[in-house]
Amino acid sequence: MKSNFDIDELRTALAQEARALGFDCIGITAPGTIERAGQHFLEFIASGGHGDMDWLAAQPERRIDPRGLWADVRSVIMLGVNYGPDQDPLAILKQRTRAAISVYAQGDDYHDVIKKRLKALARWLVAAASRELEPCEVKVFVDTAAVMEKPLAQTAGLGWQGKHTNLVSREFGSWLFLGAIYTTIDLSRDTAETDHCGSCQACLDICPTSAFPAPYKLDARRCISYLTIENKGPIPRDFRKAIGNRIYGCDDCLAACPWNKFAQEGREAKLAARDELRAPGLADLARLDDAAFRALFTKSPVKRIGRDRFLRNVLIAIGNSGDVALAEEARRLLDDASPLVRGAAIWALGQLVPRDEFVAVKIAAMSTEQDNSVREEWQAAS
Ligand code: B12
Ligand code: SF4
């Protein structure tokens, strides 16, 4: 021991520093506290619930116990950033010619914003610990490695995993981004939070695609967040209508949670909704070329899916718009260079124009279409 500063004082100072850096909550847990969640994770992977997210299934030993990722970790510091919306996120779903982008993606990418803060806090910890107590090492994560952030946040006392599988906080409801710092120093632990869902199942009932086979279990393959963000191919036909105008992620189960009555608006300007992403018109989005797409979504997580997947999603929303005027956008995109976009344009057009008109377009297009997936889309649409 180098000074009178003890481990609890270090913890208190760490919490103050976290707050100053823009984190809204902090809790500390030990690496060996998520054994049951690890078991559930293995069951989830065995059932195939992760769909095409092979990265999620890879090296499970690293994910199910923090010591599998880093043998020297002694404490896990979990942090939350509130991104509570300033409007009802479900209101946009009624504006069918406009696009619904999920709350988390209307501002800057949280990975970038939070990672910078985690690094700053970790640097502070390394300096304070070695100055006052003993040297320590750190690693930071925000959805960037094999870390079970939600169960760790629960054992660190930040909230509990609700029936929609996300962490619910008494203070911030469903709207918390999570980040983690693993460290080699032994810090005092917080008490785990317990489940406060009770008999409520509002999140399960609202899900448009029935993605919950049971409370606390999500089949990611049915979740609109997966279908519009992670899924690289065409959107499976069974889910297209249910997607409505959601073009990037989904907030329905989060928004339905009654614990949101305690939620507050987020205080980080970088994560706040950009005006142009609150309710963009589908027609404008359908006209984005690659450069315009990149410009509109600079620093936004939406950029990650690229222009073609994005247009695929916009076309599904156009097909669901009920607005015949938008058929022109679909018709134009039948000639797009991307087969993914052409395939979604076929479906959209089929939803909006009369059958005889659609069949005439199909006959003309089939005479030149070379791509098998697009030809299949025409066939299925008849
Ligand atoms: C993969 C992933 C996804 C996938 C799968 C989602 C999922 N539920 O797993 C998809 C693409 C669908 C997704 C969507 C979303 N995601 Co996501 N995602 C992740 C990621 C990278 C890993 C999550 C994971 O480990 N999944 C694997 C499964 C097994 O975990 P699980 O569902 O939590 O499984 C638990 C339950 O099934 C339970 N369980 C199973 N059986 C049983 C039985 C009983 C009896 C009980 C009690 C429990 C139980 O135990 C399991 C382990 O805890 C994390 C970041 C990270 N590294 O942790 C972000 C993360 C979970 N996502 C996040 C967000 C914000 C979202 C979206 C809200 C985005 C959006 N608006 O579209 C949606 C929410 C959809 C939903 N209802 O979950 C945040 C959630 C923050 C929070 N407060 O919880 C995270 C933590 C990212 C972050 N750093 O902030 N996501
Ligand atoms: S994010 Fe939407 S689609 Fe996914 S589980 Fe929640 S309500 Fe269902």
Side-chain angles (χ1 to χ4, degrees):
M1 188 90 70
K2 292 183 184 170
S3 74
N4 294 330
F5 201 80
D6 69 15
I7 201 84
D8 288 330
E9 284 168 310
L10 178 67
R11 197 202 176 298
T12 306
L14 177 73
Q16 278 165 358
E17 187 64 18
R19 177 95 201 151
L21 284 167
F23 290 104
D24 294 293
C25 49
I26 179 170
I28 298 175
T29 188
T33 52
I34 58 164
E35 204 176 316
R36 235 183 82 208
Q39 209 47 47
H40 288 147
F41 174 82
L42 296 175
E43 287 162 17
F44 168 85
I45 298 296
S47 75
H50 59 297
D52 291 337
M53 295 183 289
D54 295 338
W55 50 269
L56 191 59
Q59 297 180 301
E61 67 287 356
R62 292 180 166 225
R63 200 173 284 268
I64 62 176
D65 184 329
R67 291 166 297 194
L69 183 66
W70 190 23
D72 296 337
V73 56
R74 303 290 291 274
S75 305
V76 176
I77 304 163
M78 290 304 304
L79 295 130
V81 176
N82 170 29
Y83 70 103
D86 59 2
Q87 293 177 356
D88 171 11
L90 301 183
I92 179 72
L93 300 178
K94 296 197 186 93
Q95 298 189 48
R96 294 166 70 199
T97 59
R98 302 201 160 265
I101 296 177
S102 63
V103 174
Y104 96 85
Q106 289 177 17
D108 283 6
D109 195 330
Y110 72 91
H111 299 93
D112 302 334
V113 175
I114 295 179
K115 190 138 201 190
K116 270 193 202 122
R117 290 181 187 174
L118 287 170
K119 283 184 174 166
L121 187 61
R123 271 196 304 273
W124 179 93
L125 176 63
V126 168
S130 68
R131 188 176 63 241
E132 309 290 352
L133 294 164
E134 64 192 45
C136 73
E137 290 176 55
V138 289
K139 289 189 196 294
V140 305
F141 310 101
V142 50
D143 202 353
T144 42
V147 174
M148 291 192 76
E149 293 170 357
K150 295 178 286 182
L152 287 167
Q154 175 153 2
T155 58
L158 297 193
W160 68 98
Q161 269 191 273
K163 290 178 186 171
H164 55 20
T165 76
N166 283 296
L167 194 87
V168 183
S169 145
R170 285 167 178 271
E171 218 181 326
F172 303 105
S174 300
W175 313 107
L176 267 189
F177 289 128
L178 301 176
I181 301 178
Y182 287 6
T183 176
T184 51
I185 193 166
D186 253 321
L187 297 165
S188 47
R189 316 319 190 199
D190 287 289
T191 311
E193 178 61 287
T194 50
D195 187 329
H196 298 289
C197 287
S199 59
C200 174
Q201 54 167 45
C203 59
L204 310 182
D205 294 341
I206 202 174
C207 178
T209 50
S210 307
F212 299 104
Y216 307 101
K217 287 191 185 182
L218 176 77
D219 183 345
R221 292 165 296 188
R222 301 184 70 91
C223 173
I224 293 171
S225 186
Y226 170 83
L227 292 167
T228 56
I229 302 173
E230 301 291 337
N231 166 44
K232 296 187 176 68
I235 308 258
R237 303 183 74 77
D238 287 354
F239 300 117
R240 292 178 187 174
K241 284 206 181 283
I243 284 176
N245 62 343
R246 300 172 190 80
I247 62 153
Y248 192 92
C250 171
D251 290 319
D252 290 30
C253 55
L254 270 61
C257 179
W259 283 95
N260 289 331
K261 62 174 174 270
F262 301 110
Q264 309 149 32
E265 247 178 68
R267 64 184 168 120
E268 170 54 63
K270 286 184 179 155
L271 297 174
R274 301 179 191 169
D275 285 340
E276 65 275 24
L277 300 188
R278 283 179 189 273
L282 291 172
D284 295 332
L285 297 179
R287 287 177 209 147
L288 294 176
D289 61 14
D290 199 50
F293 170 78
R294 286 168 177 280
L296 181 61
F297 293 107
T298 305
K299 289 190 174 180
S300 151
V302 177
K303 198 154 91 177
R304 285 178 38 218
I305 64 170
R307 179 259 181 195
D308 294 348
R309 265 198 267 169
F310 180 76
L311 270 247
R312 170 200 65 185
N313 298 348
V314 169
L315 280 159
I316 299 300
I318 284 179
N320 289 326
S321 68
D323 182 355
V324 181
L326 285 173
E328 269 325 295
E329 303 303 332
R331 199 188 292 272
R332 188 176 45 76
L333 289 165
L334 291 174
D335 293 328
D336 196 81
S338 157
L340 191 62
V341 174
R342 293 204 297 283
I346 294 167
W347 186 81
L349 192 69
Q351 304 304 304
L352 296 175
V353 299
R355 191 175 147 68
D356 51 346
E357 193 181 329
F358 182 74
V359 171
V361 180
K362 171 179 173 175
I363 292 167
M366 279 291 263
S367 64
T368 54
E369 181 60 62
Q370 301 290 322
D371 185 276
N372 281 341
S373 69
V374 183
R375 291 183 71 84
E376 270 167 33
E377 197 67 59
W378 278 119
Q379 261 137 17
S382 53

